[in-house]
Structure formats: structure tokens, C-alpha cells
Amino acid sequence: MKKLVLGAIAGYQKVRFGRVSPCRYFPSCSDYSIEAIETHGLAKGVGLSLKRIARCNPFGGSGFDPVPEANGKKVVR
């Protein structure tokens, strides 16, 4: 199931390739989703991704928003 979800995200990225990203955060929401799923597993990674996508709106925040580490700390890269 994890490979299917990651494949769907990769497909979305291929379709969007070359277009301006509408995402207000860095990394983009799709890159964030891939990293969250790889770091935290499918269930928690999808949950983190959905929370991030919900924040990505004109009234939400913007800027650098990394995936939290597995122990709860944010990764600064």
C-alpha cells in the first residue's frame, strides 16, 4: 500500500513538472508527503500530509516547514 501511495504522489509530481508550484511552504506539499510517509510510515505520514495540505491556503502560514523527526523534533536542513 505504501508503494501505491508513493507512486501516486510521484505521478502527480510528473504531471505538475515544469509548472509553478502553488504550495506556500518549502518543501512542497508533495515532497513533504513523500518524506513524511518514508519517515513515519503510511498511516502517520498520510495524517501529517493531510494536516499540511489543510494549512496550505491563503489564510494559512508559509515558509520553511520540515517533516518532524520520528521522536517529535523538527529536522532543520
Side-chain angles (χ1 to χ4, degrees):
M1 188 61 138
K2 181 177 172 179
K3 285 185 180 183
L4 180 67
V5 173
L6 292 174
I9 295 168
Y12 168 79
Q13 288 180 326
K14 285 181 182 180
V15 170
R16 297 266 327 149
F17 183 76
R19 296 181 183 163
V20 177
S21 176
C23 194
R24 300 172 53 84
Y25 291 101
F26 179 81
S28 70
C29 293
S30 58
D31 288 334
Y32 181 96
S33 297
I34 290 171
E35 187 176 347
I37 291 167
E38 289 175 346
T39 302
H40 296 284
L42 185 61
K44 187 170 182 178
V46 168
L48 288 168
S49 300
L50 292 174
K51 286 171 65 174
R52 164 72 177 273
I53 291 167
R55 291 192 318 260
C56 194
N57 64 69
F59 303 108
S62 63
F64 183 62
D65 182 30
V67 173
E69 287 185 3
N71 64 4
K73 295 181 181 177
K74 287 198 173 187
V75 178
V76 176
R77 296 178 191 194

